[in-house]
Amino acid sequence: MQEKTGFDHLRRLKATADAAIDLIRVLKVVRNEEGTITDFVYVMNQPPAEIFYGRPGWSIPDKRFRAL
């Protein structure tokens, strides 16, 4: 059996999100030196969620939440 790479898992996650009925957004936590959450970075956002929230372009990887 071939070992899966991170890219394979991300591709599978995207395919699942695109087929899901629920709106899905995946964010990564950004913390300061003290460990306090200061922001979030978008990892993935399915297109229907962009339409629902009226914010096209949120699916751009590495875009910070506070910058929107």
Side-chain angles (χ1 to χ4, degrees):
M1 185 170 156
Q2 213 174 23
E3 186 175 327
K4 299 285 184 189
T5 65
F7 178 75
D8 293 329
H9 292 294
L10 186 57
R11 186 175 49 182
R12 185 176 299 158
L13 175 62
K14 182 175 178 349
T16 302
D18 288 347
I21 295 171
D22 295 321
L23 300 177
I24 298 174
R25 294 185 281 174
V26 179
L27 301 118
K28 180 173 71 173
V29 172
V30 176
R31 297 179 185 271
N32 64 14
E33 298 80 32
E34 292 83 34
T36 303
I37 296 173
T38 59
D39 205 350
F40 297 91
V41 175
Y42 276 92
V43 175
M44 186 194 73
N45 194 31
Q46 76 182 141
E50 290 183 344
I51 294 166
F52 179 81
Y53 290 108
R55 300 296 296 263
W58 277 16
S59 63
I60 299 171
D62 299 325
K63 189 164 202 164
R64 292 198 175 229
F65 185 81
R66 296 180 90 183
L68 298 173

